[in-house]
Structures are given as C-alpha cells and as structure tokens.
Amino acid sequence: MGYADIHPFGDTKYPTPNLDRMAAEGRRFTDFVVSSAVCSASRSALMTGCYHRRVGISGALGPKSEIGIHPAEMTLAEVCKSKGYATAIFGKWHLGHHPKFLPTAHGFDQYYGIPYSNDMWPLHPDFLTKREKNPAAKSPWPKLPMISATRDKGYEIVNPDIQPEDQEQMTKQFTERAVDFIKTNANQPFFLYLPHPMVHVPLYASDDFKGKSGQGIFGDVVMEVDWSVGQIMDAVESIDAAENTLVIFTSDNGPWLSYGTHAGSAGPLREGKGTMFEGGYREPTLMWWKGKIPAGTTCDKLCSSIDVLPTVAKLIDAEVPEEASQKIDGKDIRPLMFGDENASSPHDAFYCYYSGGELHAVRNERFKLTFPHRYRTLAGRDGGDGGTPAAYEMTKIGLSLFDLDNDVSETTDVKDRFPAVVKELQAAAERAREDLGDKLTSRKGSGLRSHGKLDANDERLPLDWN
C-alpha cells in the first residue's frame, strides 16, 4: 500500500470513509516507517520489535524457504499471551510456512490464512501471460493453500488449491472471522492481527466492491479494505470496548510501482516497494483509541513498526527481554500516541537495510544520509497494466544527504550544506555496521541473531507442485 493510497494521506479518487473516520476520531502518523520495503522482512520486525536484520529475516520468504522466526524470539502475540490475552491472526503470515514456524508456534491461539504472498501462485496473471506465449512454461509456484490452525490441535489445510474466486473472498472472509473473534472474546482481553493479503497483487475484490470505485480494480480493493476497517471498529464498539481498545492501521511496504494500474501511489515520496527511499518504507498509519488518543490529530515525529511491541508491552504491563542476547530495537511511543506536546521521536537514528543486509541509509528526525548503492526504478516510465508488470531498470545513487523536512521527495542532495549532519549520521552508520553488519562494506555485525531453521526431522507443510 502506498503512502497516498487512502484519503487521510492522499487525494484519492475513490472513497475511504472508514479510514477517514479513523483519522477524524484518532491520530495520523505521517512519518511512520517500517524496517524494510519488502514483505517478510517488514513483518518480522513488527512481530519482534527488532530490525529485521537482527532476527535474520530478509526479503520475501517463498514456498521453497526452510526458515522462519526463531523460536527464541518473543513475538507481539507472545507478549500479549504473557498477560492472559486471547490471540488470533487472520490473513497473510509470511514468516515461515512449515508447521514449526506457523503463527500458533509463536503465541497465537488460532490462525486462518495463507502462508505467504498471494502472488506465489500458479494462477498469477503475469505467469498466465507467459504461458499464453509458451504453453509448455512451467509454473515456479506450487498450488496456494489456505491453512487453519490452533495452538492445541495443530494445523489443517482447508483448501489445498486456492482459485481466483477464493481470492475474491479473502478480504471479506478474514474480516468476518476477525469480527467473530472480537465478539467471542468480549469479556476478556484480546490481541487480533489482521494482515490482509490485499492490496498485494494479484488484485481481487468481492462482488460487493467490484467496479464500485470507478478507478479500476485497485480502487475497488482499497475500498474493500476500508470496509474491513469499519467492520473492526464497529465490532469493538458493539462490545463496548472502544475506550480500552487500541486499533492500528498500517502496511508492510510501499506500492509495487512496476504494476502500474494495479499498484498504488506513494504520493510525494520517492520510489516504492523494493527501495529504501521514503516511498518504499514510509507507511500511511492511523491509530484509534477513544478517550486516549486525541481525535483529529497528527503526529509528524519519526516512529516505526518496531515500536509497536515495546509500546504494547508498556500498555499492558508486560515484560520484554532486556538481556543483550534478546535485545529489541523498538521504543515506547506512548507519548507520541497520546499527543504529548513535548514528545519527540525516540529514534536518534533509524537504519534502512535492504538487499539481504545492505545499509542503504541512516536517518534521524529531519535528515537522511543515503549511501552509494544500486536500486531499481522505472525511471519515470509508466508501470504495467492488467496485472502484468513493467520491467524495472537498475541505477545507482552516490552518497547523498536529504533534508526530509523540506524535501520529502528526496530530490536535492544537501551534504555540502550540512557537513556536521553528514558526520553525525556517518557515525550512526558505523554503530549500525558494528551491531548489525553491512554487506556494502563487508561488515559482519556482532548483534545478529539467527532465524529459525528447519531440521532434518521437522515436519514439512505438504505443497502440491503439479
């Protein structure tokens, strides 16, 4: 989802009334960033409160992957579970699909959803286009399964071969299950994680939203996600829990620009998914909590998805690991959430890692120092149409300093004007390299932890590659 894909953050030509309501009754976060501009890496950071680099998850894990979150990592669900919360996830997990890595092994009582992205699928429109040209072309993907799991009973593949008509129902289906979970747990504390597969390509909407936006399938899909937000808010209010329930809306990375008409918009931000320019990792974020979060307000301070876990821990009086072996990187952002006028960003420096451990940039509240690296771009060309992407090209950027307060589009290098800032951020980068490493400078990093690994005797999720 791009920064400008919902009305509270952009001039959309389709309505998002429930997200508008969430903004009117809650707080917009205009400088909320994720750890990396790609699925699994970003989600691992949200779940652990750590830079994805620290916990060993990079890129987007696929059906051939044999890794996941390490069992020693404390997840957001486990933090909530430690205080007696009921926990559930409905949607896309993407942090390891084999049984030992499923959500129910990481603090969730129940899970219903897909194990990785909905485009890792033999019926992806891009592959079908290739097959039209070459009927003998073999799919790089197995059949996409729908999984149901509980902590007590293990997992079940409830649909081994998701079809387009199934994808059309996913947003609605996951929302309905989420609403039922909220109402079932009305009399106890609960943590609900609702990671919709949409607006990831390929795009599908139910009949209630097909063609309703007047802006193509992408607008239809955003409208259905907006409907889902309304259903969640209504469900919370229906159990009289609006004054003790925090609702957060955000995304895992920016728009996949190569898909053109099936992609979103980062608005004024540079580039999109797959880069650590602002368009790739700054997300449209809303927080709603009646009576706690000031209505109709905006926070422009730098904060991140890695801050969610420690903040929730403080809110529910739960403990998080403090020993060096389980260090987390996120900070408590309650002052920013609750509108403390004297609150500032808790991050003196934020590290922008991509490409399996390359430190692409370091930023603070105002400035961002980008290091020389290669990145993908459309170079001003249009993206694709009808679900088929246009080709990216690779280009390079040199050492550059951007003043984000005055140039959020990252167009003008000001390193010659602010040498002291360059020196400060270079020092921060050195601390990052010492701790988390940097493939661009061949640094290892002393603070890295291992991802979970599949052992020889571990059960594999059965996948149909025919």
Side-chain angles (χ1 to χ4, degrees):
M1 174 168 279
Y3 186 81
D5 283 339
I6 61 175
H7 193 259
F9 290 83
D11 186 20
T12 61
K13 293 183 174 62
Y14 46 79
T16 56
N18 296 294
L19 288 161
D20 291 350
R21 174 192 163 199
M22 192 174 178
E25 297 178 2
R27 191 163 174 85
R28 294 190 317 140
F29 287 76
T30 59
D31 198 358
F32 188 94
V33 301
V34 294
S35 178
S36 194
V38 65
C39 306
S40 297
S42 176
R43 289 157 192 264
S44 71
L46 172 66
M47 281 292 106
T48 65
C50 298
Y51 288 110
H52 68 284
R53 176 73 176 151
R54 187 175 302 286
V55 297
I57 304 289
S58 294
L61 304 183
K64 293 183 179 180
S65 171
E66 294 191 346
I67 70 170
I69 295 179
H70 196 283
E73 300 292 346
M74 176 174 279
T75 67
L76 181 55
E78 287 170 319
V79 169
C80 293
K81 202 70 200 162
S82 73
K83 302 299 290 187
Y85 278 58
T87 56
I89 165 178
F90 306 107
K92 168 185 163 182
W93 173 235
H94 214 176
L95 290 172
H97 60 281
H98 295 294
K100 71 182 292 184
F101 302 131
L102 289 176
T104 46
H106 291 289
F108 287 96
D109 296 326
Q110 58 179 296
Y111 165 52
Y112 185 91
I114 57 175
Y116 34 73
S117 292
N118 65 318
D119 68 332
M120 296 177 176
W121 184 51
L123 300 180
H124 190 300
D126 187 28
F127 173 69
L128 295 182
T129 299
K130 293 177 182 178
R131 179 165 278 177
E132 287 178 4
K133 298 177 182 178
N134 177 15
K138 292 187 177 180
S139 170
W141 309 113
K143 295 175 181 178
L144 179 64
M146 185 73 74
I147 299 172
S148 178
T150 64
R151 179 193 297 271
D152 298 330
K153 297 182 179 179
Y155 79 93
E156 176 187 4
I157 296 177
V158 294
N159 182 351
D161 188 11
I162 288 175
Q163 296 296 304
E165 55 267 29
D166 300 314
Q167 293 234 30
E168 290 177 354
Q169 297 303 313
M170 283 199 296
T171 300
K172 179 176 287 189
Q173 188 177 54
F174 296 145
T175 302
E176 290 171 347
R177 287 176 178 267
V179 168
D180 183 65
F181 173 78
I182 291 170
K183 293 182 177 180
T184 298
N185 291 282
N187 296 319
Q188 69 178 67
F190 61 83
F191 167 58
L192 166 66
Y193 180 37
L194 180 55
H196 283 301
M198 307 298 162
V199 297
H200 197 292
V201 293
L203 300 176
Y204 290 95
S206 70
D207 287 343
D208 288 344
F209 290 92
K210 283 181 188 175
K212 296 299 173 65
S213 71
Q215 301 298 315
I217 183 63
F218 188 87
D220 300 344
V221 168
V222 175
M223 284 181 62
E224 189 154 25
V225 171
D226 175 83
W227 164 84
S228 174
V229 171
Q231 293 293 297
I232 298 303
M233 295 168 70
D234 289 349
V236 169
E237 291 185 326
S238 75
I239 63 169
D240 296 323
E243 294 184 356
N244 66 343
T245 303
L246 168 65
V247 180
I248 301 174
F249 177 91
T250 190
S251 184
D252 63 348
N253 53 247
W256 204 342
L257 297 175
S258 63
Y259 279 86
T261 58
H262 284 212
S265 168
L269 307 182
R270 183 171 174 175
E271 298 294 343
K273 174 179 178 170
T275 78
M276 293 306 288
F277 293 104
E278 294 301 294
Y281 78 119
R282 189 187 294 212
E283 304 305 322
T285 301
L286 299 166
M287 298 190 190
W288 180 82
W289 185 351
K290 285 194 171 181
K292 292 284 189 178
I293 291 178
T297 58
T298 296
C299 173
D300 63 1
K301 306 300 182 184
L302 171 64
C303 51
S304 172
S305 59
I306 64 175
D307 301 327
V308 173
L309 184 149
T311 302
V312 167
K314 290 291 186 181
L315 288 169
I316 66 174
D317 195 27
E319 295 184 1
V320 296
E322 295 183 355
E323 62 271 20
S325 63
Q326 291 296 306
K327 172 184 177 181
I328 67 170
D329 302 294
K331 309 294 183 183
D332 177 10
I333 59 169
R334 287 177 298 168
L336 299 183
M337 288 171 48
F338 297 147
D340 183 343
E341 294 182 359
N342 297 316
S344 58
S345 171
H347 297 283
D348 295 328
F350 190 89
Y351 307 136
C352 301
Y353 279 94
Y354 197 70
S355 296
E358 295 181 358
L359 182 61
H360 285 186
V362 174
R363 63 161 295 192
N364 59 24
E365 185 78 47
R366 175 179 173 183
F367 290 99
K368 182 177 180 182
L369 184 65
T370 297
F371 302 106
H373 68 273
R374 289 168 56 81
Y375 67 96
R376 70 188 194 185
T377 182
L378 292 175
R381 293 178 290 108
D382 290 335
D385 189 20
T388 300
Y392 284 110
E393 60 186 78
M394 298 302 294
T395 190
K396 295 181 180 179
I397 188 171
L399 184 70
S400 305
L401 181 71
F402 300 109
D403 179 358
L404 297 178
D405 279 0
N406 298 294
D407 178 26
V408 75
S409 302
E410 298 173 277
T411 61
T412 304
D413 178 13
V414 295
K415 65 177 179 290
D416 293 337
R417 289 176 49 199
F418 298 97
V421 174
V422 173
K423 184 177 180 180
E424 175 188 336
L425 291 177
Q426 283 177 326
E430 277 303 297
R431 294 193 294 272
R433 292 174 182 126
E434 186 174 317
D435 185 16
L436 299 174
D438 177 18
K439 286 190 175 182
L440 290 174
T441 55
S442 301
R443 300 282 287 278
K444 295 291 186 181
S446 62
L448 302 180
R449 303 199 289 264
S450 175
H451 49 241
K453 300 175 183 178
L454 206 59
D455 296 326
N457 295 324
D458 286 331
E459 181 183 2
R460 266 72 170 165
L461 185 75
L463 296 174
D464 186 349
W465 289 84
N466 295 324

